[in-house]
């Protein structure tokens, strides 16, 4: 399963400027996938949330989906441009 569309959907649901969201996936090794999320500077607070609650929720949903489908470790890095 490709986790980029799921991650992109979750992030775009939170931000004010969904057209500015960029999501890419990189495979480190056989059992680890790194997903890089880029959002605008103004939306950084919305994606991270208070004390990181929204970012952790996004990570939890994507990781749970990974365990159900492929059992790979997912790491999500959130940054702005």
């Amino acid at each position: 399963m490709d986790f980029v569309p799921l991650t992109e959907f979750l992030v775009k649901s939170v931000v004010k400027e969904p057209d500015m969201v960029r999501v890419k996936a990189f495979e480190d090794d056989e059992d680890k996938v790194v997903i890089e999320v880029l959002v605008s500077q103004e939306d950084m607070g919305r994606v991270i949330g208070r004390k990181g609650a929204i970012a952790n929720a996004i990570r939890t949903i994507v990781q749970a989906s990974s365990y159900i489908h492929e059992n790979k470790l997912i790491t999500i890095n959130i940054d702005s441009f």
Side-chain angles (χ1 to χ4, degrees):
M1 177 179 184
D2 190 14
F3 301 103
V4 172
L6 174 61
T7 307
E8 189 172 6
F9 171 76
L10 292 170
V11 172
K12 283 185 175 184
S13 299
V14 175
V15 298
K16 262 190 171 176
E17 298 178 40
D19 295 335
M20 300 291 287
V21 174
R22 301 290 180 257
V23 180
K24 293 182 182 177
F26 306 96
E27 292 200 25
D28 276 355
D29 52 26
E30 292 179 12
D31 292 334
K32 186 173 181 182
V33 176
V34 177
I35 298 177
E36 187 72 32
V37 177
L38 294 173
V39 297
S40 66
Q41 183 67 35
E42 294 82 26
D43 286 329
M44 241 347 234
R46 283 182 171 76
V47 174
I48 294 174
R50 187 168 294 181
K51 296 183 181 178
I54 300 211
N56 286 336
I58 291 170
R59 288 183 180 108
T60 300
I61 292 169
V62 175
Q63 188 65 57
S65 177
S66 171
Y67 284 142
I68 290 170
H69 295 294
E70 296 179 16
N71 204 19
K72 289 188 175 189
L73 178 64
I74 304 286
T75 304
I76 298 178
N77 297 327
I78 302 170
D79 203 359
S80 66
F81 55 88

